[in-house]
Amino acid sequence: MKYCRLQTRHGAQYAEVVDRDGRPWVERLIPPFEEGPLSDFVEGSFVPLPLDKAQVLAPVAPSKIVCVGRNYREHAAELGNEVPAEPLLFLKAPSSLISPGEAIRIPELSKRVDFEGEIAIVIGERCSKIGPEEDPRDYIRGYTIANDVIVRDLQKKDG
């Protein structure tokens, strides 16, 4: 299933995206994926529309964003770093997400802003300590792309 998150008069809602004669349409609202009550889900008065006419939001509203740094040799070398022996994890604030087409705000203080295209894995179910007999794909809701924007000069100061 392809889906999106869009702004409606009732707030942010998830919707299914379907093909209509080669053009993506937002066809119907679907219940939220996040844990918790469905109290924000509004069915009823939604009218299907072309995706390019919808006010599309970031595809998910995560509670956390966990990232893996220096996870491939070429990128580590480019920055003068070694590939770590174990995954280098760091967090990004959920408030760092923006909607498609929204402007990226660059701090005036910075002189070097880098961007990287990333694959983002959306984890759909709480999990931890997945054993070798378990299939981790059972916990994956889907995939999307991410534009990882880094204020590199300020990042280097942080250590």
Side-chain angles (χ1 to χ4, degrees):
M1 172 195 292
K2 290 183 182 179
Y3 71 89
C4 68
R5 213 168 127 258
L6 68 149
Q7 187 64 44
T8 71
R9 62 188 179 129
H10 300 290
Q13 302 284 311
Y14 287 95
E16 184 177 8
V17 178
V18 298
D19 183 288
R20 278 194 185 179
D21 298 320
R23 187 173 181 197
W25 274 67
V26 179
E27 189 74 23
R28 67 181 181 87
L29 297 181
I30 53 179
F33 296 115
E34 288 86 11
E35 295 177 7
L38 298 178
S39 59
D40 293 338
F41 177 58
V42 178
E43 235 170 335
S45 62
F46 181 74
V47 176
L49 72 158
L51 183 62
D52 61 0
K53 301 292 184 202
Q55 184 181 346
V56 179
L57 303 172
V60 291
S63 61
K64 65 189 79 48
I65 302 169
V66 181
C67 307
V68 181
R70 285 192 234 148
N71 57 338
Y72 61 98
R73 195 169 318 290
E74 292 83 7
H75 182 52
E78 176 185 23
L79 298 172
N81 298 311
E82 294 291 320
V83 175
E86 296 178 352
L88 176 65
L89 301 178
F90 62 97
L91 300 174
K92 287 202 177 236
S95 61
S96 67
L97 291 178
I98 60 174
S99 299
E102 192 174 336
I104 296 169
R105 294 181 300 172
I106 298 174
E108 291 179 25
L109 178 63
S110 178
K111 302 294 181 239
R112 181 175 174 198
V113 176
D114 292 350
F115 61 92
E116 301 169 346
E118 305 282 1
I119 179 109
I121 302 170
V122 179
I123 306 297
E125 188 177 326
R126 189 178 302 260
C127 58
S128 131
K129 300 179 184 173
I130 298 171
E133 301 81 33
E134 289 184 84
D135 189 346
R137 293 176 294 189
D138 292 344
Y139 298 95
I140 296 173
R141 168 145 308 115
Y143 304 89
T144 189
I145 55 170
N147 186 9
D148 184 12
V149 180
I150 303 120
V151 182
R152 193 70 72 192
D153 49 350
L154 301 182
Q155 178 193 36
K156 295 257 185 218
K157 285 183 176 183
D158 187 21

